[in-house]
Amino acid sequence: MYHTAKYWPLSDIYMDRNSTSLVQSCKPLYRLAVEAVTSSFANNPRCPNRRAAIEELPLGTRLDLLAEMCDYPSLVEVQLEIVSDPLLVSDFIRHLSGDLTPLVQCFQWLQSVKKSVPIQLFRQYKKLDEEKFRKGSFSRLDYKCGLRIGTFLIETGWTVEAIGILRLARQHTRFGTEEELTVLRQLMRAQTLSGKLINASKTYGCMQMILNNVIWASKFTPEIPDEASKLQSLHDLQVAVFHSFALYHFEDLNFNFSYEYGMQSLNRINKRSPCRLVIDVLRQLVRACLGRRMYSKATFVLELAIGLVVQEYGRKSALYAETLEDLAILMLACNKVSESVEVYSEAQHIYLQLYGSRNLSISHAQGNLAYGLCLQAYVTGRRDAAMLHVAKSVGNYKRILAPDHRMLIQVNRLHATIDLFTFPNSVNTRIEVTLFNHKDIEPFSVRDVCTKLQLIQNK
């Protein structure tokens, strides 16, 4: 078993996971090889050399093999042991960021059998962190390692576990620098999305001071050869920080401040800004616009966000499904109930295709997990009845779920979403806005968004 990797078919060409022609033409053989090795492991779960054999495989093949282990009860422990390695998970995120679906599948499968990978990741990260400070080893365990893992956990819904890892990652940054601000930005996101707004408020204050110091110091930095890239990096960090401020104020139900920071982050976008950051900024601005009843602007901005997602990630990606959930909320806010349900169902179908039927019980959707509850609340027709419904729902979830369960955290965020709606029995509920068909949206680039910024201002 130890020599399995030596004869691994396609190992040379599969080192490049993005190479399409060779891999796709040989995919049946590759798939059979993955299944055969997994089955061999399952039939001999106590094989002492299994871990060593897996470590010899190329990184992409290793991740596919781990995902193939899902639904094998005999392999749960070894799968948990391997996926709980912070350095390995950091490598997966760093080198295979184009498609981390297999990694999400591993997390979901282990969660469904009562094995929490995020908790184990935190414990292992803390253990390695303590050893590094004591022995000076693990040079790869820098702040970027924890930042990658923490960001991944935020984007997949494990926000509470992300907080612990990001706090440890902060200790590896230089005090008062862009490094610390980058980690704090993600830490505040995790705290905000976890409903820990008091802690998020403290992080908010630290970020404001560091941001001012970083910007001030940059004005006196001597010219260096890569000055342009450094300035762009600082510029993108400002965009990201203001986006995080917008998210915090939104969850704190201050839609005016959320909108102001959302527009500040949007106005700082340029053609060199990272696409994912631009998408996040646009999506958050949509929510703030809905909170201020700016339906036309919300519609226009969301159309840009979907176009960006289509171009960079495609219509079968998890991020596309998330933007469809945003569209479902927008439609519900505009009294388009049947259309909203149809779009939301399409988003769930994408999740089903990506993650399998397990996604129905361990939901991956980050922003609108409680859409069904929102819909039920909305159709009551009255705000007071809707809020009572939300309170009862939260109470029911608290009785059956752990305090920091990711489902309960999402349900607790219902209040911010409910406030986006104008209920049918309220006064002035007629909303005149022309919605788009998401299937007809053409791909947009970041450059296209930059050219349309003036149109966004005028909406």
Side-chain angles (χ1 to χ4, degrees):
M1 188 65 69
Y2 180 78
H3 299 288
T4 300
K6 181 178 179 180
Y7 303 104
W8 188 264
L10 314 180
S11 60
D12 291 335
I13 63 171
Y14 206 72
M15 283 291 289
D16 180 9
R17 256 180 139 228
N18 295 322
S19 176
T20 56
S21 58
L22 289 174
V23 174
Q24 288 181 355
S25 63
C26 301
K27 187 175 180 180
L29 176 59
Y30 169 74
R31 201 71 247 168
L32 287 172
V34 171
E35 293 173 0
V37 173
T38 306
S39 178
S40 176
F41 285 154
N43 292 332
N44 187 15
R46 296 185 179 181
C47 174
N49 296 322
R50 174 172 44 200
R51 177 72 183 266
I54 294 175
E55 288 178 350
E56 287 193 4
L57 297 173
L59 195 62
T61 306
R62 214 181 312 174
L63 181 56
D64 288 336
L65 185 65
L66 288 168
E68 188 66 31
M69 289 182 181
C70 296
D71 297 315
Y72 282 92
S74 62
L75 297 178
V76 165
E77 294 302 328
V78 69
Q79 187 185 27
L80 178 63
E81 178 189 356
I82 296 173
V83 181
S84 298
D85 180 353
L87 297 177
L88 178 61
V89 172
S90 175
D91 287 343
F92 284 152
I93 298 169
R94 180 182 181 184
H95 298 290
L96 307 176
S97 59
D99 183 14
L100 291 172
T101 301
L103 187 59
V104 178
Q105 290 174 328
C106 291
F107 276 50
Q108 290 184 347
W109 156 246
L110 292 169
Q111 184 82 30
S112 70
V113 293
K114 311 301 181 184
K115 302 290 185 179
S116 176
V117 180
I119 292 177
Q120 291 299 320
L121 267 176
F122 168 71
R123 290 171 179 169
Q124 290 300 317
Y125 187 90
K126 185 177 181 181
K127 181 179 178 181
L128 293 179
D129 188 64
E130 292 171 350
E131 290 184 23
K132 178 174 182 176
F133 278 109
R134 188 169 60 250
K135 301 178 180 178
S137 55
F138 303 112
S139 59
R140 292 166 56 206
L141 196 76
D142 56 3
Y143 83 93
K144 292 182 180 179
C145 176
L147 179 62
R148 291 188 197 103
I149 298 172
T151 303
F152 172 78
L153 292 178
I154 291 171
E155 292 174 350
T156 49
W158 279 281
T159 54
V160 173
E161 294 82 356
I163 292 173
I165 291 179
L166 289 167
R167 281 176 174 166
L168 292 175
R170 183 187 180 186
Q171 298 176 10
H172 294 277
T173 63
R174 292 173 296 163
F175 179 75
T177 63
E178 295 177 45
E179 294 177 357
E180 185 179 19
L181 187 57
T182 302
V183 175
L184 284 176
R185 179 243 170 177
Q186 295 294 352
L187 176 60
M188 194 180 79
R189 282 185 67 201
Q191 292 169 333
T192 300
L193 293 172
S194 299
K196 303 181 185 301
L197 296 182
I198 295 177
N199 294 335
S201 177
K202 296 177 181 178
T203 307
Y204 189 122
C206 292
M207 290 171 63
Q208 285 181 313
M209 289 188 294
I210 296 175
L211 181 61
N212 292 334
N213 292 337
V214 167
I215 294 175
W216 178 258
S218 67
K219 297 178 181 179
F220 301 96
T221 302
E223 292 188 6
I224 54 178
D226 60 343
E227 180 70 18
S229 60
K230 181 176 177 60
L231 288 175
Q232 181 63 38
S233 175
L234 178 59
H235 192 82
D236 293 337
L237 182 56
Q238 283 184 275
V239 173
V241 168
F242 285 134
H243 164 257
S244 299
F245 290 168
L247 172 64
Y248 167 79
H249 288 297
F250 178 84
E251 296 296 330
D252 198 34
L253 303 181
N254 192 328
F255 298 139
N256 289 329
F257 276 8
S258 179
Y259 175 79
E260 293 300 326
Y261 275 114
M263 289 303 299
Q264 285 193 50
S265 58
L266 185 67
N267 290 334
R268 284 171 168 78
I269 287 172
N270 59 41
K271 61 183 180 182
R272 297 178 59 190
S273 299
C275 182
R276 179 56 194 261
L277 176 59
V278 177
I279 292 170
D280 290 343
V281 168
L282 292 173
R283 292 182 62 203
Q284 183 56 49
L285 183 58
V286 169
R287 300 183 186 106
C289 287
L290 287 179
R292 293 186 56 175
R293 307 297 186 250
M294 303 168 70
Y295 300 106
S296 295
K297 177 175 281 192
T299 301
F300 184 75
V301 173
L302 183 55
E303 187 173 359
L304 292 179
I306 293 177
L308 267 176
V309 172
V310 169
Q311 171 147 314
E312 296 294 327
Y313 299 90
R315 296 182 186 271
K316 296 182 179 180
S317 64
L319 190 55
Y320 182 69
E322 290 179 29
T323 54
L324 288 188
E325 289 181 321
D326 293 340
L327 177 58
I329 291 294
L330 171 62
M331 289 178 165
L332 197 58
C334 295
N335 298 331
K336 307 289 185 182
V337 179
S338 59
E339 295 92 334
S340 173
V341 173
E342 183 178 342
V343 170
Y344 184 78
S345 299
E346 185 178 339
Q348 301 313 298
H349 181 72
I350 295 174
Y351 290 131
L352 183 64
Q353 295 299 312
L354 285 173
Y355 305 114
S357 58
R358 188 174 298 109
N359 180 66
L360 300 179
S361 58
I362 310 293
S363 296
H364 168 74
Q366 172 29 51
N368 300 312
L369 266 175
Y371 172 83
L373 293 175
C374 286
L375 179 62
Q376 294 175 38
Y378 179 76
V379 297
T380 62
R382 293 175 54 192
R383 177 179 172 76
D384 55 348
M387 298 310 294
L388 179 61
H389 170 80
V390 169
K392 288 182 178 179
S393 300
V394 172
N396 291 335
Y397 276 93
K398 284 183 176 179
R399 282 192 290 271
I400 62 177
L401 297 175
D404 287 332
H405 194 283
R406 58 205 296 250
M407 280 292 292
L408 181 58
I409 289 172
Q410 294 296 338
V411 171
N412 281 331
R413 296 174 58 202
L414 272 173
H415 290 280
T417 307
I418 291 295
D419 276 356
L420 303 181
F421 303 143
T422 302
F423 289 89
N425 288 351
S426 303
V427 295
N428 299 324
T429 59
R430 185 175 181 83
I431 300 172
E432 297 292 345
V433 60
T434 303
L435 297 176
F436 54 83
N437 186 338
H438 62 281
K439 297 179 181 179
D440 297 334
I441 293 179
E442 295 294 327
F444 290 116
S445 66
V446 174
R447 185 187 294 270
D448 294 330
V449 172
C450 292
T451 61
K452 296 177 183 291
L453 283 179
Q454 188 62 43
L455 293 176
I456 296 177
Q457 290 279 9
N458 295 333
K459 283 289 182 178

